[in-house]
Amino acid sequence: MKMNGRTFHKVTLIGLINGLLLGWIMKWVEMLSGKQVYKLLLNVDFLPLIGAVSWSEESLFFFHLLFSLAITYSTFIFYIL
């Protein structure tokens, strides 16, 4: 399977949907249980430059979506191509 425009859009959509669903589920679990799983999902302290800045929740969720896309693309390239 080649990585043409249509495949690229499908992989992008899959990555965004997975990232959004994981974020919403973790937020819901945190609200119901009180465990800080959503906060852990958005934790970027391990990144040298990004972790040093105090980011808003929206910015951290955007980073989460970027990581979700990167993982989805990597998985696609490793297993499919």
Side-chain angles (χ1 to χ4, degrees):
M1 178 183 280
K2 287 186 171 184
M3 180 66 113
N4 56 22
R6 185 178 176 133
T7 305
F8 180 78
H9 290 304
K10 284 182 181 179
V11 173
T12 301
L13 185 62
I14 289 169
L16 289 177
I17 289 172
N18 287 337
L20 288 170
L21 284 176
L22 181 63
W24 289 334
I25 289 170
M26 292 294 199
K27 182 79 167 181
W28 182 70
V29 168
E30 185 173 300
M31 289 182 346
L32 291 177
S33 70
K35 306 285 184 193
Q36 294 186 338
V37 292
Y38 182 71
K39 184 176 180 179
L40 180 62
L41 180 71
L42 300 184
N43 186 6
V44 292
D45 291 343
F46 62 94
L47 298 171
L49 298 175
I50 296 175
V53 179
S54 178
W55 299 94
S56 68
E57 181 179 343
E58 294 81 14
S59 298
L60 291 173
F61 195 75
F62 177 73
F63 289 141
H64 163 70
L65 290 178
L66 289 178
F67 284 118
S68 177
L69 286 172
I71 291 168
T72 306
Y73 288 129
S74 300
T75 304
F76 176 79
I77 289 169
F78 184 75
Y79 287 109
I80 305 299
L81 294 181

